[in-house]
Amino acid sequence: MKIQSEEPMSFKAPQDYLPYVAEWEEKIGAFIEFDPCRAALPESPARRADGGPPRTNLEGLPFAVKDNIAVRGFSLSCGSRLLEQLRAPYTATAVEKLLESGAVPVGKTNQDEFGMGSSTDNSGIKRTNNPWDPERVPGGSSGGSAAAVAAGLVPFALGSDTGGSVRQPAAFCGVVGLKPSYGAVSRYGLVAYASSLEGIGILSDSVRRCREVFGVIRGADPLDQTSRDAPEGAPPLSKPPRAQTIGVLSPEAVARAVAEMVNGETGGSALETAAQAAELEPEVRRAFEAARAGFVKLGYTLNEVELPSLKYGVPAYYTIATAEASANLARFDGVRYGARPEWAENPGDLIDKTREAGFGPEVKLRILLGTFVLRSGFQDRYYLRAQRIRAGIRRDFEALLGDGEYRDGGKPPCDAILLPVFPTRAFGRGAASLSPFAQKAADLYTCCANLAGLPALSFPASVEGGLPAGVQLIGRAFAEGTLLDIAGDWEQEHPAPHPSGYRSFWS
Ligand code: GLN
């Protein structure tokens, strides 16, 4: 990929910025497209023609955008060969709001195809490496965005999170990752994978930056009927009431519950793999214990909590996500978007050929799975059961954090819940890596926030064996400010780690 630089850039950067990007890109391949001159900048009140001092904290900052979020004139491949040639005809609301605040989109980042995966290796376009160790994956599906931020190519990036795709790559790369409450950020311009679970999220180099970006992109949007403003009673984004109590979900108890559930069923190797995948590797456990001890030191009260339905989260997530994906991806038929075969016998053949050549194996698997769980006569067995589990998970969280509409008035037992992000640090490629099935089973700590629609924040806890290890906070709906405050306290004592060769261009 060429790092373009013929014209003046759309933002101010030091002379050596582009060479720095080019050098890192060679190693990590975070971007599908990088062009610091292309962004069509709107005439906005934030942009000063006279080049005077910035009026917003984001003015003049470059940012990257996952390639499933539309930025007019840029690629919108979703990591799929089927859409490799597509140019976005319009701009997502979240990006539009960032443009208005003076920030500049400089490129589109690699991802697992349509957001399906945990490594970015499911991209049909290219491979992205982890800036901490190029032999390892950056996580996924927003792996390109996480790698770009971790390497210092941009101070923040947008991603999308359907079951952990912002938080898990953030943890793998040692950056901050926020999955906002469902509906808090408009999905207009985000290519749909599983509409009831997903949202646009933020990957950033600091908690402070994450708050600034979220403050800009959140809010109701007439172009997305599921978007909304925070309900009355929700804590404000800046200076929310001080959080005091953190509920700690014991990863040992969760792994035990998964193992019990697995034994209680038919047994067999796939289920055993699921139980193994739920257990934390020692380095991640150490990071989690360090976070737990660190928050006590910071003056928080920590209580052990339980989420009894969490162990059913992964099967419910994959049932609902694939069901929705099978409907959402039906639009890719070779007629309206993207690649189409040279020749086809009839319209059915056109669709077959387009999908056969355009979709990768993981996407095909999930479409098949989705149509399987929705088969007529079988909905009770899979889809409706998954919806009942979803309701159970939501109730478990509500009992600890309070309801999403702030109707109860009283003080809930916890201000946030502390839990792991993923059972491993960034895994390697090849034989020793996590199998695709184990990767799915390992989503149990992330996918529950999506099933419940709650905000969740992943941030670096420590560096273990040369790789970053993250932890996660889940909060009450629309209490992003509370999560950011708690993580901000942590960050004061434990500033974000950086891979070697990292340079910070942005204050
Ligand atoms: N690992 C999850 C999956 O493969 C996460 C996806 C996402 O959040 N987009 O579905």
Side-chain angles (χ1 to χ4, degrees), residues 459-479:
F459 55 96
S462 60
V463 176
E464 304 284 342
L467 294 172
V471 292
Q472 177 180 205
L473 290 165
I474 297 183
R476 190 177 189 173
F478 294 92

Side-chain angles (χ1 to χ4, degrees), residues 66 115-118 140-141 160-165 193 317-318 366 443:
K66 185 176 181 179
M116 299 177 182
S118 303
S141 63
S160 64
D161 193 310
T162 312
S165 280
Y193 155 26
Y317 165 74
Y318 277 95
R366 294 200 190 192
D443 282 339

Side-chain angles (χ1 to χ4, degrees), residues 66 68 112 114-118 122 140-142 160-168 193 198 317-318 321 362 366 422 439-440 443 446 450:
K66 185 176 181 179
N68 61 352
D112 288 305
F114 293 106
M116 299 177 182
S118 303
N122 292 343
S141 63
S142 311
S160 64
D161 193 310
T162 312
S165 280
V166 162
R167 290 160 284 155
Q168 185 259 24
Y193 155 26
E198 70 202 349
Y317 165 74
Y318 277 95
E362 182 66 28
R366 294 200 190 192
F422 200 76
Q439 286 177 38
K440 293 184 176 71
D443 282 339
T446 45
N450 303 78

Side-chain angles (χ1 to χ4, degrees), residues 32 56 193 211 242-243 246 252 324 403 460:
I32 285 175
T56 79
Y193 155 26
R211 194 191 302 258
R242 175 155 171 85
I246 300 178
E252 289 78 26
E324 293 184 14
D403 77 295

